[in-house]
mmCIF file of all heavy atoms in Angstrom:
data_model
loop_
_atom_site.group_PDB
_atom_site.id
_atom_site.type_symbol
_atom_site.label_atom_id
_atom_site.label_comp_id
_atom_site.label_asym_id
_atom_site.label_seq_id
_atom_site.Cartn_x
_atom_site.Cartn_y
_atom_site.Cartn_z
ATOM 1 N N GLY A 207 33.544 45.685 -10.221
ATOM 2 C CA GLY A 207 32.578 46.517 -9.539
ATOM 3 C C GLY A 207 32.786 46.608 -8.056
ATOM 4 O O GLY A 207 33.281 45.507 -7.488
ATOM 5 N N ALA A 208 32.365 47.585 -7.358
ATOM 6 C CA ALA A 208 32.629 47.794 -6.057
ATOM 7 C C ALA A 208 31.779 46.873 -5.103
ATOM 8 O O ALA A 208 30.553 46.953 -5.099
ATOM 9 C CB ALA A 208 32.354 49.216 -5.608
ATOM 10 N N ALA A 211 29.295 48.682 -2.732
ATOM 11 C CA ALA A 211 28.164 49.304 -3.491
ATOM 12 C C ALA A 211 27.229 48.129 -3.802
ATOM 13 O O ALA A 211 26.070 48.170 -3.610
ATOM 14 C CB ALA A 211 28.586 50.083 -4.738
ATOM 15 N N ALA A 212 27.842 47.024 -4.368
ATOM 16 C CA ALA A 212 27.003 45.895 -4.719
ATOM 17 C C ALA A 212 26.147 45.453 -3.675
ATOM 18 O O ALA A 212 24.989 45.146 -3.771
ATOM 19 C CB ALA A 212 27.785 44.894 -5.407
ATOM 20 N N VAL A 213 26.806 45.259 -2.449
ATOM 21 C CA VAL A 213 26.037 44.625 -1.435
ATOM 22 C C VAL A 213 24.980 45.500 -0.736
ATOM 23 O O VAL A 213 24.160 45.123 0.084
ATOM 24 C CB VAL A 213 27.062 44.176 -0.302
ATOM 25 C CG1 VAL A 213 28.097 43.062 -0.675
ATOM 26 C CG2 VAL A 213 27.775 45.252 0.473
ATOM 27 N N ALA A 214 24.908 46.765 -1.150
ATOM 28 C CA ALA A 214 23.868 47.598 -0.806
ATOM 29 C C ALA A 214 22.867 47.795 -1.889
ATOM 30 O O ALA A 214 21.633 47.842 -1.656
ATOM 31 C CB ALA A 214 24.400 49.074 -0.440
ATOM 32 N N ILE A 215 23.306 47.826 -3.127
ATOM 33 C CA ILE A 215 22.369 47.993 -4.198
ATOM 34 C C ILE A 215 21.490 46.741 -4.473
ATOM 35 O O ILE A 215 20.345 46.917 -4.819
ATOM 36 C CB ILE A 215 23.159 48.381 -5.506
ATOM 37 C CG1 ILE A 215 23.634 49.825 -5.367
ATOM 38 C CG2 ILE A 215 22.414 48.144 -6.728
ATOM 39 C CD1 ILE A 215 24.652 50.299 -6.445
ATOM 40 N N LEU A 216 22.030 45.578 -4.168
ATOM 41 C CA LEU A 216 21.254 44.335 -4.447
ATOM 42 C C LEU A 216 20.107 44.356 -3.511
ATOM 43 O O LEU A 216 18.849 44.099 -3.916
ATOM 44 C CB LEU A 216 22.171 43.060 -4.409
ATOM 45 C CG LEU A 216 23.060 43.002 -5.569
ATOM 46 C CD1 LEU A 216 24.027 41.749 -5.268
ATOM 47 C CD2 LEU A 216 22.417 42.850 -6.828
ATOM 48 N N PRO A 217 20.332 44.531 -2.128
ATOM 49 C CA PRO A 217 19.029 44.614 -1.236
ATOM 50 C C PRO A 217 18.177 45.759 -1.675
ATOM 51 O O PRO A 217 16.938 45.635 -1.491
ATOM 52 C CB PRO A 217 19.755 44.874 0.160
ATOM 53 C CG PRO A 217 21.104 44.399 -0.027
ATOM 54 C CD PRO A 217 21.572 44.636 -1.389
ATOM 55 N N ALA A 218 18.718 46.939 -2.177
ATOM 56 C CA ALA A 218 17.899 48.029 -2.450
ATOM 57 C C ALA A 218 16.891 47.646 -3.524
ATOM 58 O O ALA A 218 15.748 48.214 -3.504
ATOM 59 C CB ALA A 218 18.768 49.162 -2.959
ATOM 60 N N VAL A 219 17.179 46.652 -4.338
ATOM 61 C CA VAL A 219 16.283 46.132 -5.439
ATOM 62 C C VAL A 219 14.838 45.772 -4.832
ATOM 63 O O VAL A 219 13.834 45.840 -5.485
ATOM 64 C CB VAL A 219 16.965 45.062 -6.235
ATOM 65 C CG1 VAL A 219 15.805 44.417 -7.116
ATOM 66 C CG2 VAL A 219 18.074 45.456 -6.924
ATOM 67 N N LEU A 220 14.973 45.329 -3.561
ATOM 68 C CA LEU A 220 13.609 44.922 -2.903
ATOM 69 C C LEU A 220 12.545 46.012 -2.872
ATOM 70 O O LEU A 220 11.486 45.705 -2.865
ATOM 71 C CB LEU A 220 13.980 44.469 -1.449
ATOM 72 C CG LEU A 220 14.677 43.054 -1.149
ATOM 73 C CD1 LEU A 220 15.220 42.958 0.130
ATOM 74 C CD2 LEU A 220 13.807 41.930 -1.575
ATOM 75 N N LEU A 222 11.858 47.942 -5.210
ATOM 76 C CA LEU A 222 11.321 48.369 -6.516
ATOM 77 C C LEU A 222 9.984 47.596 -6.799
ATOM 78 O O LEU A 222 9.733 46.622 -6.352
ATOM 79 C CB LEU A 222 12.344 47.917 -7.653
ATOM 80 C CG LEU A 222 13.660 48.478 -7.545
ATOM 81 C CD1 LEU A 222 14.572 48.055 -8.822
ATOM 82 C CD2 LEU A 222 13.688 50.006 -7.319
ATOM 83 N N GLY A 224 9.114 47.051 -9.976
ATOM 84 C CA GLY A 224 9.403 46.357 -11.221
ATOM 85 C C GLY A 224 10.723 45.871 -11.356
ATOM 86 O O GLY A 224 11.605 46.129 -10.439
ATOM 87 N N PRO A 225 11.065 45.186 -12.351
ATOM 88 C CA PRO A 225 12.439 44.526 -12.597
ATOM 89 C C PRO A 225 13.537 45.656 -12.929
ATOM 90 O O PRO A 225 13.178 46.677 -13.283
ATOM 91 C CB PRO A 225 12.233 43.607 -13.613
ATOM 92 C CG PRO A 225 11.093 43.999 -14.429
ATOM 93 C CD PRO A 225 10.314 44.862 -13.647
ATOM 94 N N CYS A 226 14.732 45.279 -12.728
ATOM 95 C CA CYS A 226 15.869 46.152 -13.275
ATOM 96 C C CYS A 226 16.940 45.315 -13.620
ATOM 97 O O CYS A 226 17.005 44.005 -13.365
ATOM 98 C CB CYS A 226 16.237 47.116 -12.122
ATOM 99 S SG CYS A 226 17.086 46.293 -10.906
ATOM 100 N N ARG A 227 18.044 45.892 -14.252
ATOM 101 C CA ARG A 227 19.129 45.171 -14.678
ATOM 102 C C ARG A 227 20.309 45.907 -14.072
ATOM 103 O O ARG A 227 20.468 47.083 -14.139
ATOM 104 C CB ARG A 227 19.222 45.235 -16.134
ATOM 105 C CG ARG A 227 20.316 44.331 -16.842
ATOM 106 C CD ARG A 227 20.183 44.205 -18.309
ATOM 107 N NE ARG A 227 19.383 43.185 -18.694
ATOM 108 C CZ ARG A 227 18.151 43.287 -19.196
ATOM 109 N NH1 ARG A 227 17.649 44.517 -19.450
ATOM 110 N NH2 ARG A 227 17.402 42.182 -19.595
ATOM 111 N N ILE A 228 21.248 45.178 -13.409
ATOM 112 C CA ILE A 228 22.327 45.691 -12.797
ATOM 113 C C ILE A 228 23.720 45.169 -13.453
ATOM 114 O O ILE A 228 23.798 43.926 -13.624
ATOM 115 C CB ILE A 228 22.417 45.426 -11.148
ATOM 116 C CG1 ILE A 228 21.114 45.916 -10.654
ATOM 117 C CG2 ILE A 228 23.641 46.194 -10.679
ATOM 118 C CD1 ILE A 228 21.029 45.763 -9.142
ATOM 119 N N GLU A 229 24.593 46.084 -13.797
ATOM 120 C CA GLU A 229 25.795 45.728 -14.525
ATOM 121 C C GLU A 229 27.009 45.947 -13.611
ATOM 122 O O GLU A 229 26.871 46.661 -12.626
ATOM 123 C CB GLU A 229 25.962 46.570 -15.756
ATOM 124 C CG GLU A 229 24.795 46.322 -16.739
ATOM 125 C CD GLU A 229 24.640 47.442 -17.818
ATOM 126 O OE1 GLU A 229 25.566 48.359 -17.816
ATOM 127 O OE2 GLU A 229 23.691 47.304 -18.655
ATOM 128 N N ASN A 230 28.075 45.381 -13.950
ATOM 129 C CA ASN A 230 29.289 45.394 -13.289
ATOM 130 C C ASN A 230 29.198 44.963 -11.801
ATOM 131 O O ASN A 230 29.883 45.464 -10.936
ATOM 132 C CB ASN A 230 29.886 46.936 -13.283
ATOM 133 C CG ASN A 230 31.336 47.071 -13.132
ATOM 134 O OD1 ASN A 230 32.112 46.138 -13.512
ATOM 135 N ND2 ASN A 230 31.797 48.213 -12.617
ATOM 136 N N ILE A 231 28.646 43.885 -11.694
ATOM 137 C CA ILE A 231 28.469 43.247 -10.320
ATOM 138 C C ILE A 231 29.667 42.282 -10.235
ATOM 139 O O ILE A 231 29.992 41.459 -11.044
ATOM 140 C CB ILE A 231 27.245 42.401 -10.211
ATOM 141 C CG1 ILE A 231 25.942 43.296 -10.397
ATOM 142 C CG2 ILE A 231 27.150 41.693 -8.899
ATOM 143 C CD1 ILE A 231 24.678 42.530 -10.295
ATOM 144 N N PRO A 232 30.503 42.466 -9.053
ATOM 145 C CA PRO A 232 31.719 41.519 -8.954
ATOM 146 C C PRO A 232 31.269 40.133 -8.531
ATOM 147 O O PRO A 232 30.258 39.962 -7.798
ATOM 148 C CB PRO A 232 32.401 42.275 -7.804
ATOM 149 C CG PRO A 232 31.382 43.030 -7.083
ATOM 150 C CD PRO A 232 30.270 43.468 -7.886
ATOM 151 N N VAL A 237 28.508 38.744 -2.642
ATOM 152 C CA VAL A 237 27.448 39.067 -3.623
ATOM 153 C C VAL A 237 26.666 37.729 -3.824
ATOM 154 O O VAL A 237 25.390 37.678 -3.801
ATOM 155 C CB VAL A 237 28.186 39.617 -4.906
ATOM 156 C CG1 VAL A 237 27.139 39.467 -6.050
ATOM 157 C CG2 VAL A 237 28.418 40.904 -4.730
ATOM 158 N N PHE A 241 22.666 37.031 -3.372
ATOM 159 C CA PHE A 241 21.641 36.527 -4.303
ATOM 160 C C PHE A 241 20.894 35.359 -3.711
ATOM 161 O O PHE A 241 19.641 35.259 -3.905
ATOM 162 C CB PHE A 241 22.471 35.939 -5.595
ATOM 163 C CG PHE A 241 22.892 36.943 -6.501
ATOM 164 C CD1 PHE A 241 24.151 36.921 -7.162
ATOM 165 C CD2 PHE A 241 22.117 38.109 -6.784
ATOM 166 C CE1 PHE A 241 24.636 37.964 -7.973
ATOM 167 C CE2 PHE A 241 22.414 39.134 -7.648
ATOM 168 C CZ PHE A 241 23.745 39.018 -8.295
ATOM 169 N N LEU A 244 18.209 36.990 -1.489
ATOM 170 C CA LEU A 244 17.161 37.504 -2.359
ATOM 171 C C LEU A 244 16.201 36.441 -2.860
ATOM 172 O O LEU A 244 15.022 36.539 -2.701
ATOM 173 C CB LEU A 244 17.763 38.419 -3.403
ATOM 174 C CG LEU A 244 18.471 39.635 -3.085
ATOM 175 C CD1 LEU A 244 19.070 40.354 -4.222
ATOM 176 C CD2 LEU A 244 17.514 40.628 -2.353
ATOM 177 N N VAL A 249 12.693 36.728 -4.573
ATOM 178 C CA VAL A 249 13.078 37.607 -5.794
ATOM 179 C C VAL A 249 13.602 36.699 -6.901
ATOM 180 O O VAL A 249 14.268 35.757 -6.671
ATOM 181 C CB VAL A 249 14.225 38.554 -5.236
ATOM 182 C CG1 VAL A 249 14.773 39.350 -6.369
ATOM 183 C CG2 VAL A 249 13.764 39.421 -4.144
ATOM 184 N N LYS A 250 13.216 37.142 -8.115
ATOM 185 C CA LYS A 250 13.706 36.382 -9.317
ATOM 186 C C LYS A 250 15.053 36.881 -9.821
ATOM 187 O O LYS A 250 15.154 38.234 -9.929
ATOM 188 C CB LYS A 250 12.784 36.465 -10.488
ATOM 189 C CG LYS A 250 11.614 35.634 -10.392
ATOM 190 C CD LYS A 250 10.927 35.310 -11.615
ATOM 191 C CE LYS A 250 9.550 34.849 -11.508
ATOM 192 N NZ LYS A 250 8.534 35.910 -11.475
ATOM 193 N N VAL A 251 16.154 36.086 -9.839
ATOM 194 C CA VAL A 251 17.477 36.554 -10.110
ATOM 195 C C VAL A 251 17.997 35.796 -11.379
ATOM 196 O O VAL A 251 18.120 34.572 -11.273
ATOM 197 C CB VAL A 251 18.490 36.427 -9.003
ATOM 198 C CG1 VAL A 251 19.828 36.848 -9.380
ATOM 199 C CG2 VAL A 251 18.082 37.129 -7.737
ATOM 200 N N LYS A 252 18.248 36.576 -12.413
ATOM 201 C CA LYS A 252 18.745 35.828 -13.630
ATOM 202 C C LYS A 252 20.147 36.321 -14.124
ATOM 203 O O LYS A 252 20.219 37.453 -14.453
ATOM 204 C CB LYS A 252 17.818 36.035 -14.842
ATOM 205 C CG LYS A 252 17.939 35.076 -15.975
ATOM 206 C CD LYS A 252 16.861 35.241 -17.011
ATOM 207 C CE LYS A 252 17.358 34.837 -18.338
ATOM 208 N NZ LYS A 252 17.138 35.719 -19.316
ATOM 209 N N ASP A 253 21.156 35.512 -14.008
ATOM 210 C CA ASP A 253 22.406 35.871 -14.247
ATOM 211 C C ASP A 253 22.478 35.897 -15.910
ATOM 212 O O ASP A 253 22.424 34.898 -16.537
ATOM 213 C CB ASP A 253 23.392 34.791 -13.804
ATOM 214 C CG ASP A 253 24.863 35.227 -13.912
ATOM 215 O OD1 ASP A 253 25.163 36.192 -14.651
ATOM 216 O OD2 ASP A 253 25.645 34.523 -13.337
ATOM 217 N N GLU A 254 22.904 37.104 -16.367
ATOM 218 C CA GLU A 254 23.003 37.294 -17.797
ATOM 219 C C GLU A 254 24.471 37.229 -18.327
ATOM 220 O O GLU A 254 24.813 37.459 -19.394
ATOM 221 C CB GLU A 254 22.327 38.641 -18.376
ATOM 222 C CG GLU A 254 20.856 38.621 -17.996
ATOM 223 C CD GLU A 254 20.156 39.775 -18.586
ATOM 224 O OE1 GLU A 254 20.722 40.897 -18.676
ATOM 225 O OE2 GLU A 254 18.905 39.615 -18.791
ATOM 226 N N GLY A 255 25.351 36.947 -17.287
ATOM 227 C CA GLY A 255 26.769 36.709 -17.649
ATOM 228 C C GLY A 255 27.497 38.088 -17.740
ATOM 229 O O GLY A 255 26.894 39.114 -17.785
ATOM 230 N N GLU A 256 28.866 38.086 -17.644
ATOM 231 C CA GLU A 256 29.722 39.302 -17.772
ATOM 232 C C GLU A 256 29.281 40.291 -16.665
ATOM 233 O O GLU A 256 29.299 41.598 -16.937
ATOM 234 C CB GLU A 256 29.671 39.869 -19.107
ATOM 235 C CG GLU A 256 29.817 39.007 -20.211
ATOM 236 C CD GLU A 256 30.981 39.312 -21.058
ATOM 237 O OE1 GLU A 256 31.158 40.543 -21.298
ATOM 238 O OE2 GLU A 256 31.696 38.285 -21.521
ATOM 239 N N GLY A 257 28.957 39.894 -15.441
ATOM 240 C CA GLY A 257 28.590 40.770 -14.396
ATOM 241 C C GLY A 257 27.283 41.421 -14.471
ATOM 242 O O GLY A 257 26.983 42.370 -13.755
ATOM 243 N N THR A 258 26.417 40.982 -15.348
ATOM 244 C CA THR A 258 25.121 41.622 -15.538
ATOM 245 C C THR A 258 24.021 40.690 -14.977
ATOM 246 O O THR A 258 24.089 39.469 -15.220
ATOM 247 C CB THR A 258 24.827 41.957 -16.983
ATOM 248 O OG1 THR A 258 25.778 42.911 -17.378
ATOM 249 C CG2 THR A 258 23.370 42.675 -17.054
ATOM 250 N N VAL A 259 23.050 41.254 -14.228
ATOM 251 C CA VAL A 259 22.052 40.388 -13.616
ATOM 252 C C VAL A 259 20.679 41.135 -13.685
ATOM 253 O O VAL A 259 20.529 42.278 -13.474
ATOM 254 C CB VAL A 259 22.388 40.081 -12.116
ATOM 255 C CG1 VAL A 259 21.254 39.389 -11.357
ATOM 256 C CG2 VAL A 259 23.666 39.220 -11.944
ATOM 257 N N TYR A 260 19.650 40.322 -14.198
ATOM 258 C CA TYR A 260 18.422 40.740 -14.324
ATOM 259 C C TYR A 260 17.615 40.421 -12.954
ATOM 260 O O TYR A 260 17.638 39.247 -12.627
ATOM 261 C CB TYR A 260 17.687 40.258 -15.560
ATOM 262 C CG TYR A 260 16.280 40.572 -15.671
ATOM 263 C CD1 TYR A 260 15.908 41.747 -16.303
ATOM 264 C CD2 TYR A 260 15.283 39.668 -15.152
ATOM 265 C CE1 TYR A 260 14.503 42.065 -16.542
ATOM 266 C CE2 TYR A 260 13.884 39.989 -15.313
ATOM 267 C CZ TYR A 260 13.597 41.167 -16.021
ATOM 268 O OH TYR A 260 12.187 41.479 -16.218
ATOM 269 N N ILE A 261 17.039 41.374 -12.384
ATOM 270 C CA ILE A 261 16.494 41.166 -11.025
ATOM 271 C C ILE A 261 14.925 41.525 -11.007
ATOM 272 O O ILE A 261 14.653 42.774 -11.306
ATOM 273 C CB ILE A 261 17.226 41.715 -9.856
ATOM 274 C CG1 ILE A 261 18.672 41.414 -9.902
ATOM 275 C CG2 ILE A 261 16.520 41.249 -8.447
ATOM 276 C CD1 ILE A 261 19.458 41.930 -8.708
ATOM 277 N N ASP A 262 14.114 40.727 -10.687
ATOM 278 C CA ASP A 262 12.676 41.043 -10.528
ATOM 279 C C ASP A 262 12.142 40.764 -9.056
ATOM 280 O O ASP A 262 11.908 39.595 -8.763
ATOM 281 C CB ASP A 262 11.867 40.227 -11.480
ATOM 282 C CG ASP A 262 10.371 40.618 -11.425
ATOM 283 O OD1 ASP A 262 10.000 41.513 -10.688
ATOM 284 O OD2 ASP A 262 9.661 40.112 -12.398
ATOM 285 N N PRO A 263 11.879 41.886 -8.435
ATOM 286 C CA PRO A 263 11.548 41.746 -6.926
ATOM 287 C C PRO A 263 9.978 41.760 -6.711
ATOM 288 O O PRO A 263 9.548 41.674 -5.545
ATOM 289 C CB PRO A 263 12.222 42.973 -6.330
ATOM 290 C CG PRO A 263 11.983 43.936 -7.420
ATOM 291 C CD PRO A 263 12.133 43.366 -8.691
ATOM 292 N N ASP A 381 26.905 55.984 -4.920
ATOM 293 C CA ASP A 381 26.415 55.022 -5.908
ATOM 294 C C ASP A 381 24.967 54.560 -5.596
ATOM 295 O O ASP A 381 24.178 54.466 -6.457
ATOM 296 C CB ASP A 381 27.307 53.883 -6.034
ATOM 297 C CG ASP A 381 27.416 53.240 -7.362
ATOM 298 O OD1 ASP A 381 27.192 53.892 -8.290
ATOM 299 O OD2 ASP A 381 27.528 51.984 -7.361
ATOM 300 N N PHE A 385 21.633 54.924 -7.832
ATOM 301 C CA PHE A 385 20.860 53.729 -8.190
ATOM 302 C C PHE A 385 19.493 53.993 -7.781
ATOM 303 O O PHE A 385 18.558 53.798 -8.569
ATOM 304 C CB PHE A 385 21.292 52.443 -7.463
ATOM 305 C CG PHE A 385 20.403 51.289 -7.601
ATOM 306 C CD1 PHE A 385 20.343 50.547 -8.735
ATOM 307 C CD2 PHE A 385 19.454 51.012 -6.555
ATOM 308 C CE1 PHE A 385 19.390 49.604 -8.874
ATOM 309 C CE2 PHE A 385 18.546 50.037 -6.627
ATOM 310 C CZ PHE A 385 18.542 49.185 -7.826
ATOM 311 N N LEU A 386 19.150 54.465 -6.540
ATOM 312 C CA LEU A 386 17.792 54.696 -6.196
ATOM 313 C C LEU A 386 17.158 55.754 -7.023
ATOM 314 O O LEU A 386 15.922 55.552 -7.486
ATOM 315 C CB LEU A 386 17.843 55.130 -4.620
ATOM 316 C CG LEU A 386 18.208 54.096 -3.617
ATOM 317 C CD1 LEU A 386 18.302 54.789 -2.147
ATOM 318 C CD2 LEU A 386 17.181 52.995 -3.560
ATOM 319 N N ALA A 388 17.873 56.473 -10.140
ATOM 320 C CA ALA A 388 17.654 55.935 -11.450
ATOM 321 C C ALA A 388 16.364 55.039 -11.478
ATOM 322 O O ALA A 388 15.742 54.908 -12.463
ATOM 323 C CB ALA A 388 18.875 55.042 -11.904
ATOM 324 N N MET A 389 16.007 54.498 -10.327
ATOM 325 C CA MET A 389 14.808 53.596 -10.267
ATOM 326 C C MET A 389 13.561 54.313 -9.822
ATOM 327 O O MET A 389 12.560 53.789 -9.630
ATOM 328 C CB MET A 389 15.117 52.450 -9.282
ATOM 329 C CG MET A 389 16.430 51.714 -9.611
ATOM 330 S SD MET A 389 16.057 50.734 -11.166
ATOM 331 C CE MET A 389 17.807 50.667 -11.718
ATOM 332 N N GLY A 411 11.577 51.093 -11.335
ATOM 333 C CA GLY A 411 12.651 50.321 -11.873
ATOM 334 C C GLY A 411 12.703 50.307 -13.312
ATOM 335 O O GLY A 411 12.577 51.489 -13.912
ATOM 336 N N GLY A 412 12.800 49.245 -14.001
ATOM 337 C CA GLY A 412 12.676 49.231 -15.367
ATOM 338 C C GLY A 412 13.931 49.642 -16.250
ATOM 339 O O GLY A 412 13.854 49.730 -17.416
ATOM 340 N N THR A 413 14.974 49.961 -15.524
ATOM 341 C CA THR A 413 16.284 50.433 -16.275
ATOM 342 C C THR A 413 17.411 49.753 -15.881
ATOM 343 O O THR A 413 17.373 48.893 -15.016
ATOM 344 C CB THR A 413 16.274 51.999 -16.109
ATOM 345 O OG1 THR A 413 17.376 52.477 -16.888
ATOM 346 C CG2 THR A 413 16.451 52.364 -14.590
ATOM 347 N N SER A 414 18.530 49.970 -16.512
ATOM 348 C CA SER A 414 19.761 49.354 -16.123
ATOM 349 C C SER A 414 20.614 50.302 -15.326
ATOM 350 O O SER A 414 20.596 51.516 -15.470
ATOM 351 C CB SER A 414 20.632 48.999 -17.418
ATOM 352 O OG SER A 414 19.867 48.105 -18.158
ATOM 353 N N TYR A 415 21.512 49.722 -14.470
ATOM 354 C CA TYR A 415 22.330 50.563 -13.605
ATOM 355 C C TYR A 415 23.810 49.853 -13.567
ATOM 356 O O TYR A 415 23.854 48.772 -13.288
ATOM 357 C CB TYR A 415 21.778 50.770 -12.195
ATOM 358 C CG TYR A 415 22.683 51.792 -11.428
ATOM 359 C CD1 TYR A 415 22.451 53.150 -11.705
ATOM 360 C CD2 TYR A 415 23.682 51.342 -10.687
ATOM 361 C CE1 TYR A 415 23.322 54.138 -10.969
ATOM 362 C CE2 TYR A 415 24.451 52.300 -10.017
ATOM 363 C CZ TYR A 415 24.250 53.630 -10.112
ATOM 364 O OH TYR A 415 25.102 54.430 -9.517
ATOM 365 N N SER A 416 24.808 50.592 -13.737
ATOM 366 C CA SER A 416 26.132 49.990 -13.571
ATOM 367 C C SER A 416 26.887 50.506 -12.382
ATOM 368 O O SER A 416 26.994 51.689 -12.034
ATOM 369 C CB SER A 416 26.931 50.466 -14.881
ATOM 370 O OG SER A 416 28.159 49.783 -14.898
ATOM 371 N N ILE A 417 27.389 49.491 -11.607
ATOM 372 C CA ILE A 417 27.986 49.818 -10.311
ATOM 373 C C ILE A 417 29.457 50.327 -10.567
ATOM 374 O O ILE A 417 30.105 49.996 -11.499
ATOM 375 C CB ILE A 417 28.093 48.403 -9.585
ATOM 376 C CG1 ILE A 417 26.656 48.093 -9.035
ATOM 377 C CG2 ILE A 417 29.106 48.517 -8.402
ATOM 378 C CD1 ILE A 417 26.633 46.777 -8.370
ATOM 379 N N ILE A 418 29.762 51.353 -9.642
ATOM 380 C CA ILE A 418 31.095 51.926 -9.781
ATOM 381 C C ILE A 418 32.159 50.975 -9.437
ATOM 382 O O ILE A 418 32.060 49.934 -8.961
ATOM 383 C CB ILE A 418 31.232 53.010 -8.743
ATOM 384 C CG1 ILE A 418 30.931 52.667 -7.365
ATOM 385 C CG2 ILE A 418 30.511 54.343 -9.121
ATOM 386 C CD1 ILE A 418 31.374 53.567 -6.194
#
Side-chain angles (χ1 to χ4, degrees):
V213 297
I215 286 174
L216 292 172
V219 171
L220 288 166
L222 305 187
C226 70
R227 187 168 273 107
I228 306 179
E229 298 164 4
N230 206 28
I231 301 181
V237 160
F241 282 139
L244 291 177
V249 176
K250 285 199 196 96
V251 178
K252 191 171 156 232
D253 186 351
E254 298 186 330
E256 312 239 320
T258 299
V259 173
Y260 175 85
I261 310 187
D262 186 352
D381 208 35
F385 168 79
L386 292 171
M389 300 297 149
T413 182
S414 295
Y415 187 82
S416 183
I417 288 174
I418 52 165

